[in-house]
Structures are given as structure tokens and as C-alpha cells.
Amino acid sequence: MLASIPTEHGLYLAAALFILGLIGVLVRRNLIFMLLSLEIMLNATGLAFIVAGARWGEAEGQIMFMLILTLAAAEAAVALALILLVYRRFGTLDADRLSRMRG
Amino acid sequence: MEITFYIAAIIAVVSTAMVITRLNAIHALLYLIVSLLAVALIFFLLGAPFAAALEVIIYAGAIMVLFVFVMMMLNLGEEAVAQENRWLTPSMWIGPGILSFVLLIELVYLLVAESSALSSTKMIPPQQVGITLFGPYLLAVELAAMLLLAGLVGAYHLGREEPEEES
């Protein structure tokens, strides 16, 4: 019933998603989009763990995915609160304009 | 059966590419939810139904709703769209794009050199995951609980309204 997917194809997909997220972090200058790209990269890492867990038929891949999920939830909550704080204080989400602030 | 994996993979890559090129944040968020659902389908195909359910419930459900709430609170205007439009000109991202492509080619070459195909994917039931999670990895569960508590307290502290400054 289950498909027999080559391990390297799953890893190709994870690498492609990770590189797309990395391009997003490098190109976009809006803090919201940079955070979205970070979520893409975390998700790609989880996919790589699941693929590796399926390769050896062990549950550890899903355990690591769950830990990554917890990390992503905590990181999203704190980073979104920080974004709200920055927008309230500086009135912009432009990372370039924020990099010029002093002290 | 294998064709579903490749269709889902193409959907995931295309929607993720749309996420990082959209100017409107809500459009990008919708594409990201499509991408997460495609990845959840791939988890199911790989014999990890519990991880697929968690992906849909927590990632596509809870975390994305958090993003929607914050975007509604921010209410970004036309100026942000114009600013991002200037940044997305090809001269700005063609250099990192070429470098990333070279890295991708290197990675593909390394993976092809050591090829190992799955003969048959084995389903890992949620019961086995739970037994493993609360057996050898109990300390990791406790640490995750403390991390979530720290995230909750930190987000509340950062997100609260500023008190009036004493003059």
C-alpha cells in the first residue's frame, strides 16, 4: 500500500525547500517575510528528519520533527511579538531602515 | 503510487517559490499553507501519519493563524509593497541565486554518488512514536515544555502595551 520513494528524492525536496527559504531570508527586507522564510527552512529540516526516519524505519525521525515543531512554535510567538514591538516603536518593518538605528 | 510524491513535491516547491516572491503578506501566507499541506501529504506517503497530522494541526493551523493575527494588527500599506518591489529587481538577487544554485548542484552530486533506494517504506504508527517519545526521550519532552513556557512568558512580556513613561 505504501509507496516506495527513493530516499534521495525526499532529500532533494528538503534541500530545495531549504534553499528557497534561504533565498527568501537573503532577498526580502520585510521582517514578516524573513520570518516566513525561517519557517520554510525549519519545515524543510523537519522533512529531512522524517525522510531519514522512514529510511531506517525508526520513530526517532518523527520525535525530532516534533521537537522542531515545538521550537518553531516558540520562535514564531517570540518573533511575532518582537515584530509588533518594532512596528509600534519605529513605524516600519524594513530591516534596512532598522539597521541604521543607534544605541 | 510514487507519482503522488512527485506531484506533491512539485506543488510544495512551486508554492514555496511563490511565498518568497509575493508582495502582499497575506498572499504569501496562503501559498505557505499550501506548501505545508503538500509536505504533510509527503509525510503520510513516507509512513509517518502522526507527523502529517501534527503538520496540519500545528503548522498550517496554529502558527499560520498567529501570523494572520499579527498581519491584521500591523495593517501594512502601499508603501511597504513599493519598497519590496524595488528590492525584487533581478540585479539584487541574481548573485546569491547563482551561488545557491551552485550549492544545490554540489549537494545533488554528493547525494547521487552514494545512492540508496528504499525497497519498501515501513509505516511507523503513532503508538510506536508515543512509546519512544515518553521512554528514552522523556527529558527532551520536559525541555520542550520549558521552552514553550519561556516562549509564552517572553511573547507576553514583549507584546504587552507600553506603560506610560514617567516624566
Side-chain angles (χ1 to χ4, degrees), chain B residues 56-98:
Chain B
V56 173
I57 294 170
I58 298 182
Y59 242 126
I63 297 180
M64 293 303 120
V65 166
L66 209 61
F67 272 91
V68 170
F69 280 163
V70 169
M71 281 171 199
M72 280 158 51
M73 289 171 78
L74 289 178
N75 198 11
L76 294 174
E78 294 295 319
E79 188 199 354
V81 173
Q83 203 269 343
E84 290 289 314
N85 201 1
R86 284 196 300 275
W87 269 96
L88 276 177
T89 50
S91 62
M92 294 310 295
W93 54 261
I94 200 81
I98 289 172

Side-chain angles (χ1 to χ4, degrees), chain A residues 3 5 9 28 30 43 96, chain B residues 6 22 55 84 87 118 121:
Chain A
I5 298 151
H9 290 182
R28 303 308 297 261
N30 190 319
N43 191 42
D96 284 339
Chain B
Y6 296 105
R22 291 306 94 185
E55 175 94 6
E84 290 289 314
W87 269 96
L118 281 173
T121 308

Side-chain angles (χ1 to χ4, degrees), chain A residues 16-28:
Chain A
L17 289 180
F18 190 88
I19 288 173
L20 278 173
L22 189 60
I23 291 172
V25 172
L26 291 174
V27 170
R28 303 308 297 261

Side-chain angles (χ1 to χ4, degrees), chain B residues 125-147:
Chain B
Q127 187 186 11
Q128 189 186 340
V129 177
I131 288 171
T132 313
L133 186 64
F134 288 99
Y137 290 97
L138 189 59
L139 188 61
V141 174
E142 299 290 338
L143 287 175
M146 288 181 67
L147 176 69

Side-chain angles (χ1 to χ4, degrees), chain A:
Chain A
M1 175 227 169
L2 286 171
S4 64
I5 298 151
T7 303
E8 57 264 34
H9 290 182
L11 291 176
Y12 291 159
L13 175 64
L17 289 180
F18 190 88
I19 288 173
L20 278 173
L22 189 60
I23 291 172
V25 172
L26 291 174
V27 170
R28 303 308 297 261
R29 297 262 69 85
N30 190 319
L31 288 179
I32 287 270
F33 282 96
M34 294 168 85
L35 191 55
L36 280 179
S37 303
L38 281 178
E39 296 289 332
I40 292 170
M41 289 162 75
L42 279 175
N43 191 42
T45 317
L47 176 63
F49 272 111
I50 292 282
V51 170
R55 164 69 179 80
W56 283 286
E58 297 288 340
E60 268 80 2
Q62 296 189 47
I63 304 284
M64 283 309 294
F65 173 73
M66 261 180 261
L67 294 179
I68 289 173
L69 205 64
T70 315
L71 176 70
E75 174 245 353
V78 174
L80 284 171
L82 269 174
I83 284 175
L84 274 181
L85 192 67
V86 162
Y87 189 73
R88 210 180 283 152
R89 187 165 296 178
F90 298 100
T92 181
L93 287 181
D94 185 6
D96 284 339
R97 229 177 288 173
L98 293 177
S99 71
R100 288 188 215 116
M101 64 186 179
R102 283 187 294 272

